[in-house]
Amino acid sequence: MPRPPTNGTAASAPGPSRRRILAAMAAALPVASLPVLSSPASAAPAGAALPGGGDLGPNVVVFDPSTPNIQGRLDEIFKQQETAQFGTGRYALLFKPGTYNGLNAQLGFYTSIAGLGLSPDDTAINGDVTVDAGWFNGNATQNFWRSAENLALTPVSGTNRWAVAQAAPFRRMHVKGGLNLAPDGYGWASGGYIADSRIDGAVAPYSQQQWYTRDSSVGGWNNAVWNMVFSGVEGAPAQTFPDPPYTTLDTTPVSREKPFLYLDGADYKVFVPEKRTHARGTTWGSGTPRGESLPLDRFYVAKPGADAATLNAALDQGLHLLLTPGIYHVDRPVEVKRANTVVLGLGYATLIPDGGATALKVADVDGVRLAGFLIDAGPVNSGTLLEVGPEGASQGHAGNPTTVQDVFIRIGGAGPGKATTSMVINSNDTIIDHTWVWRADHGDGVGWDTNRADYGVRVNGDGVLATGLFVEHFNKYDVQWYGQGGRTIFFQNEKAYDAPNQAAIQNGDTKGFAAYYIADTVTSHEGWGLGSYCFYNVDPTIVQGHGFKAPDAQGVKLHDLLVVSLGGKGQYEHVINGIGAPTSGTTTVPSTVVSYP
């Protein structure tokens, strides 16, 4: 996702050129596949029970400290994945507990690295886990779809580099040093998300335009460009928005960390952390984490090629789902009907709906955990791609909410895709913890009507909490909120680049559709640290009436809002409703509103 230059300067670092024009998109280069063993889709004869447990398949690479030439294998996978932005390769790199010396794990697209201990400190790497942007001439704004989890790092230089953009979570990590979020050369960057992590040194975002950090501990935070948001973070900077643009909440109202795979002796299990309220700091810094361990034999370990009928049969048997890395075509929804079911993906396992199906549906039940996978729209329009709860869902789930964590949705880019509404949340009290819902602005199958997707996220349920909400480029509304008592901590948005003209986005008498729309019927809603940007590069004369639309109701409160015109390609008249100064010229300076109303 290209970004024109910002006016933010990198503290204590060389500044990038601020007015150069972006080069053409870096093409996803064809690369030779690594030799892997073939693995048929896991299935069972009709009527037979599906087995739980089993091997993790060829694209889960497991290391222990005695594994020969670990660096060589890491480099081999990185060489394949470095530029494969829309490729089909998917990898999970798992490290058994122990100590590893002298490694530099560079992560490319669709690559996840994780430790297999119950605590990050169980798996120590004296070395680095690196994301940089050499493949894209030092521009990190397209470093999507990669992750690091559950490791302790002692960086060789004292500082680990993690220069990512969207859909690249840094979870449950212990960095025994500093963390640099900018690419080498301090070029453009547009991330990102940290949760349940401890960084002993300072975090240096430099050119990162926005960032959200939740329930963590940092040794300092060095600067900000547009929108830095913290909730439950020990060592976070004080609230100072808009100058500098820090939005800081002392705690996170409700959180539950993402489930993760670990080894208990020789046995694989999935740990499901418990819910916390008014959370602050990590879950693992003071003794054994609190939660439930599920043995692997209670999971159907799916391999690429497993179809919806097989996945649903496994769920109907009472099994959880572990989706190993790869592509899964589904001709009907995967249906999660049982409370407390875990659907956990490894290595960006990807569901693609065929024939206009919805990829995944969840019943109106307690405690479902969806985590760690990508949904890629198919060429036939889907009415929805992910539904949490059926239409009209009414049960309360505050005691045991469903969580949607590191579940990413893409329409176009890897080929033509269409969906009317990408993610629909009908169940009350759902927690959306880090998502990127993206109508592609580059890649294959991209165009105003080619990858048509009118709406990104629609929330109908009451009491829904979003922590780390990234939603971009939809033809109409990016986020629509109809439920009562909703809360969002951090929102990042760009309006669709490719609108052909003003008429194409006209919304009745309003110029354009708001990025974040709260329905007039809503009487209670609160949000913190919300940003929307426009970059109408097809018709730079387009005017967006406002980034945010909200009712004038006593219980609707929004804090720390901003809109930005990127390089003057389109403009905003206001920030929210008719409030807030317009953007102007080519200065790429945010217009802000500290409090609404």
Side-chain angles (χ1 to χ4, degrees), residues 299-381:
F299 285 78
Y300 178 65
V301 181
K303 307 299 193 320
D307 60 13
T310 302
L311 299 177
N312 283 328
L315 291 167
D316 289 344
Q317 281 179 216
L319 293 171
H320 306 279
L321 293 182
L322 185 70
L323 304 174
T324 65
I327 309 294
Y328 299 78
H329 282 267
V330 293
D331 62 353
R332 69 199 76 172
V334 177
E335 297 194 65
V336 180
K337 305 172 185 176
R338 178 173 47 89
N340 301 313
T341 299
V342 177
V343 180
L344 176 62
L346 301 178
Y348 288 81
T350 302
L351 300 176
I352 301 178
D354 294 332
T358 297
L360 194 149
K361 293 184 177 182
V362 179
D364 191 22
V365 295
D366 272 359
V368 172
R369 278 82 158 180
L370 308 179
F373 56 89
L374 171 66
I375 297 174
D376 213 350
V380 178
N381 184 74

Side-chain angles (χ1 to χ4, degrees), residues 216-309:
S216 294
S217 173
V218 299
W221 194 275
N222 281 358
N223 74 296
V225 176
W226 291 338
N227 193 30
M228 300 288 163
V229 179
F230 308 84
S231 67
V233 179
E234 298 167 346
Q239 168 75 30
T240 53
F241 186 93
D243 187 22
Y246 293 135
T247 297
T248 302
L249 287 72
D250 189 57
T251 63
T252 303
V254 185
S255 64
R256 183 168 57 201
E257 299 305 327
K258 172 184 169 288
F260 61 92
L261 190 69
Y262 78 104
L263 276 172
D264 183 3
D267 298 324
Y268 284 106
K269 295 182 178 180
V270 172
F271 190 78
V272 184
E274 72 174 16
K275 185 189 76 170
R276 297 199 291 170
T277 56
H278 305 295
R280 182 173 173 84
T282 69
T283 62
W284 49 268
S286 302
T288 302
R290 298 172 63 90
E292 179 184 10
S293 288
L294 303 175
L296 196 63
D297 63 11
R298 291 177 59 184
F299 285 78
Y300 178 65
V301 181
K303 307 299 193 320
D307 60 13

Side-chain angles (χ1 to χ4, degrees), residues 99-119:
T99 301
Y100 301 79
N101 294 314
L103 295 182
N104 181 17
Q106 299 183 82
L107 300 186
F109 288 99
Y110 314 107
T111 305
S112 298
I113 188 170
L116 287 170
L118 194 55
S119 166

Side-chain angles (χ1 to χ4, degrees), residues 2-234:
R3 301 284 204 283
T6 73
N7 283 351
T9 56
S12 304
S17 169
R18 296 298 180 184
R19 286 293 174 263
R20 62 185 175 85
I21 300 173
L22 278 176
M25 290 295 120
L29 302 176
V31 293
S33 297
L34 293 176
V36 296
L37 298 175
S38 61
S39 180
S42 42
L50 290 163
D55 72 89
L56 299 177
N59 293 334
V60 175
V61 184
V62 180
F63 302 101
D64 65 47
S66 66
T67 302
N69 194 22
I70 296 174
Q71 187 65 56
R73 183 67 166 134
L74 295 174
D75 291 346
E76 184 183 18
I77 293 171
F78 176 65
K79 183 179 179 181
Q80 175 180 318
Q81 299 300 113
E82 181 183 13
T83 63
Q85 182 173 176
F86 297 110
T88 58
R90 304 284 188 275
Y91 287 93
L93 312 176
L94 305 183
F95 286 75
K96 293 182 179 181
T99 301
Y100 301 79
N101 294 314
L103 295 182
N104 181 17
Q106 299 183 82
L107 300 186
F109 288 99
Y110 314 107
T111 305
S112 298
I113 188 170
L116 287 170
L118 194 55
S119 166
D121 288 332
D122 293 338
T123 310
I125 293 179
N126 293 317
D128 297 80
V129 171
T130 301
V131 178
D132 206 346
W135 74 278
F136 198 43
N137 300 315
N139 178 346
T141 61
Q142 292 182 29
N143 281 350
F144 314 138
W145 304 306
R146 62 203 76 197
S147 67
E149 185 172 6
N150 205 29
L151 293 165
L153 305 178
T154 303
V156 170
S157 69
T159 300
N160 190 76
R161 186 183 301 278
W162 185 254
V164 297
Q166 288 77 4
F170 196 80
R171 286 187 182 269
R172 201 176 174 77
M173 295 287 286
H174 184 187
V175 180
K176 298 179 179 181
L179 187 63
N180 184 346
L181 303 179
D184 186 26
Y186 302 94
W188 303 334
S190 180
Y193 176 90
I194 294 171
D196 201 23
S197 293
R198 176 179 170 183
I199 293 91
D200 293 344
V203 179
Y206 295 122
S207 53
Q208 285 286 357
Q209 294 163 343
Q210 67 277 317
W211 200 277
Y212 175 50
T213 307
R214 178 182 64 72
D215 299 353
S216 294
S217 173
V218 299
W221 194 275
N222 281 358
N223 74 296
V225 176
W226 291 338
N227 193 30
M228 300 288 163
V229 179
F230 308 84
S231 67
V233 179
E234 298 167 346

